[in-house]
Amino acid sequence: MPEKERETKGQISRRQFLKSAGIVVGGTAVGSSILISACSGGGSEVITKTATVTKTATDTVNVTTSVAKFVCPYDSQEFDTFAALQSHVEAQHSAGSPVTKYVCPYDNQEFDTLAALKAHLDAQHVEVVTSGAEGIITMKVNGKDYTVKVEPDMVLSYVLREKCLLPGTKTGCWRGECGTCTVLMDGRTVYSCLVLAVEADGSEITTVEGLAVNGELSPLQQSFVKNRGFQCGFCTPGYLISGTDLLAKNPSPTMDEVKEAVSGHLCACGNMNFNLKSILEGGS
């Protein structure tokens, strides 16, 4: 519904709600499926001026936010982009020109050919022009750096699943009621379906994939397995995140404290009692 129409009907947009509430999300919550052992990393999307390239998350990508100049080694003319430099060289300098060095403007490394320089730029630098910089966010998710191009209306849950390739975070109601999309953001449990991706820029995120350490399930994950804290598993990642947050602050909670911590979660299978027991015994 258009924003003006919302205002006419007395409704407000999600972003207006978040701003007026002074919070990034609502309440304690958690969510994900019972691929409890899903702890492998995903991929991060990086951007060049001409294409979108998917890279594995094992490499940290250097993002250049300032516009550097590409210098023609033959006549010292300067260009804002590699493409402009390439067009100039191809048009003005024949193949018979003396061999010279092409210099990367970001780290001053030298290369014998334009192709070698281009390969270096694609591998080591993501050049972002000033006009498009606001569409790029960086996050540390489960200890790995991600540089992602996002649209203004993209929410964090979508980016985690579709851009970072971390499907453990589930999406249920899309309005902050079921808790399945809960993640840790800068040490707080948040409904990732209510957080705009641009609001997560510079944040540290933990999803269900990040709970295991070196392939070993966390004590809470092991407790869920032992106590059958799942059925269909769709809500399980959320419970695991909220339970992890609770136990980090209070290793020996009472049942009432566990219930309060997961009060923002729904279990459609009716497995609540086993979920609560799993969290209650998950701190040991």
Side-chain angles (χ1 to χ4, degrees):
M1 182 183 295
E3 187 132 343
K4 289 186 178 179
E5 189 175 340
R6 285 198 189 98
E7 293 174 356
T8 302
K9 294 187 176 183
Q11 300 178 2
I12 61 174
S13 67
R14 175 185 297 161
R15 188 169 188 81
Q16 288 174 319
F17 169 76
L18 294 176
K19 284 185 176 180
S20 63
I23 54 177
V24 201
V25 296
T28 57
V30 166
S32 190
S33 80
I34 191 53
L35 290 175
I36 320 185
S37 58
C39 50
S40 60
S44 62
E45 183 176 309
V46 297
I47 309 305
T48 66
K49 285 186 176 179
T50 57
T52 298
V53 180
T54 301
K55 292 180 176 291
T56 59
T58 54
D59 297 325
T60 299
V61 179
N62 299 318
V63 178
T64 305
T65 54
S66 60
V67 178
K69 297 292 185 180
F70 291 85
V71 180
C72 174
Y74 301 115
D75 55 22
S76 298
Q77 288 193 49
E78 296 182 344
F79 301 90
D80 290 334
T81 67
F82 173 82
L85 169 64
Q86 185 177 35
S87 297
H88 168 76
V89 171
E90 291 174 351
Q92 300 298 325
H93 304 284
S94 67
S97 299
V99 176
T100 186
K101 297 291 185 180
Y102 295 91
V103 180
C104 173
Y106 304 124
D107 55 23
N108 295 321
Q109 290 192 47
E110 297 182 342
F111 301 90
D112 293 330
T113 65
L114 279 171
L117 173 58
K118 178 64 164 59
H120 169 74
L121 293 172
D122 289 343
Q124 299 299 326
H125 306 282
V126 180
E127 185 183 358
V128 182
V129 296
T130 304
S131 60
E134 64 182 45
I136 306 295
I137 67 169
T138 58
M139 305 181 295
K140 187 179 288 294
V141 185
N142 300 330
K144 296 180 180 179
D145 294 314
Y146 288 80
T147 300
V148 187
K149 182 179 180 180
V150 300
E151 299 298 329
D153 60 348
M154 284 183 181
V155 293
L156 179 58
S157 58
Y158 175 84
V159 170
L160 290 172
R161 290 175 55 83
E162 304 298 333
K163 299 283 189 175
C164 299
L165 304 183
L166 297 169
T169 299
K170 303 306 178 191
T171 51
C173 65
W174 288 98
R175 55 190 181 188
E177 293 182 357
C178 68
T180 62
C181 68
T182 304
V183 299
L184 285 171
M185 177 175 168
D186 296 327
R188 297 173 53 204
T189 54
V190 300
Y191 292 127
S192 59
C193 76
L194 293 186
V195 180
L196 291 174
V198 293
E199 294 175 305
D201 186 24
S203 295
E204 292 193 17
I205 309 294
T206 300
T207 70
V208 68
E209 289 93 340
L211 297 184
V213 179
N214 297 324
E216 190 75 23
L217 296 181
S218 70
L220 179 58
Q221 289 174 304
Q222 294 177 36
S223 181
F224 265 74
V225 173
K226 174 185 175 182
N227 292 297
R228 295 175 293 161
F230 54 87
Q231 282 192 32
C232 77
F234 198 81
C235 70
T236 308
Y239 277 98
L240 285 169
I241 294 293
S242 289
T244 296
D245 180 58
L246 170 65
L247 295 174
K249 300 170 182 176
N250 181 4
S252 301
T254 64
M255 179 58 79
D256 286 341
E257 289 171 330
V258 172
K259 290 180 179 179
E260 181 179 358
V262 297
S263 59
H265 296 266
L266 297 177
C267 175
C269 298
N271 202 49
M272 178 69 74
N273 289 337
F274 291 102
N275 294 340
L276 296 176
K277 182 179 179 182
S278 298
I279 295 174
L280 189 67
E281 298 180 5
S284 56

